[in-house]
Amino acid sequence: MNIVRHFAYGIGIFVLVVGFALIQGGALEGEYLSAMGNAFGSMASGFRPDFGAFARAPLLIQVHAGAALSAVAIGLVQLFAPKGTVPHRTLGYSWAILMLVTAFTAVFIREANNGNFSFIHIFVPLTLMGLFGVISNARKMETAKHRNAVFSLFIGALIVPGLFAFMPGRLMWQMFFGG
């Protein structure tokens, strides 16, 4: 039952963040909605991935995206692998370091908002607080709290912000849909 509750909380938070992002981005203005519609319509008309966009991106963005994608991969392994083993702990520490690198590099990525922080930067302090909870619960051997904290952090700090990385104009959009 915890998974259903966490999923419901995650959907609620996702809706709030998307709503805030749309309001901040001026989604209530008529021109913006038509531009977004055109962007998504052009995606359907021709699938043109451009994986060279990753190589052309600044080093900071490459490090950020690489750490985030690696954290997703390790996180998926951790979710399904046996718990409490030496490999689980080792991969867990690696995952935590990748999460720190992802959060730290995100602070310096501001090109999408003219040098300012954007709505997606709210995930940086949430990631840091979540990592503190994950590590402290693991060290106190509170496995149920640790499991819930890890699952929440995986969804709330990797999956949800990862979906925002696919917004038009961002690197993942350019890579998979050709910009």
Side-chain angles (χ1 to χ4, degrees), residues 2 71 105 119 165 167:
N2 277 340
T105 55
F119 69 92
M167 290 174 58

Side-chain angles (χ1 to χ4, degrees), residues 71-140:
V72 168
I74 290 176
L76 288 172
V77 169
Q78 289 289 80
L79 286 174
F80 298 109
K83 312 297 185 258
T85 62
V86 172
H88 177 79
R89 277 183 243 130
T90 304
L91 283 175
Y93 284 120
S94 300
W95 185 77
I97 290 168
L98 287 169
M99 292 296 289
L100 281 173
V101 168
T102 302
F104 183 72
T105 55
V107 172
F108 299 102
I109 299 173
R110 299 186 200 165
E111 289 89 12
N113 206 26
N114 298 326
N116 298 316
F117 289 113
S118 65
F119 69 92
I120 203 167
H121 285 96
I122 191 66
F123 293 105
V124 172
L126 294 175
T127 300
L128 298 175
M129 290 185 297
L131 275 173
F132 177 78
V134 165
I135 293 169
S136 65
N137 288 327
R139 296 192 62 76
K140 289 187 270 185

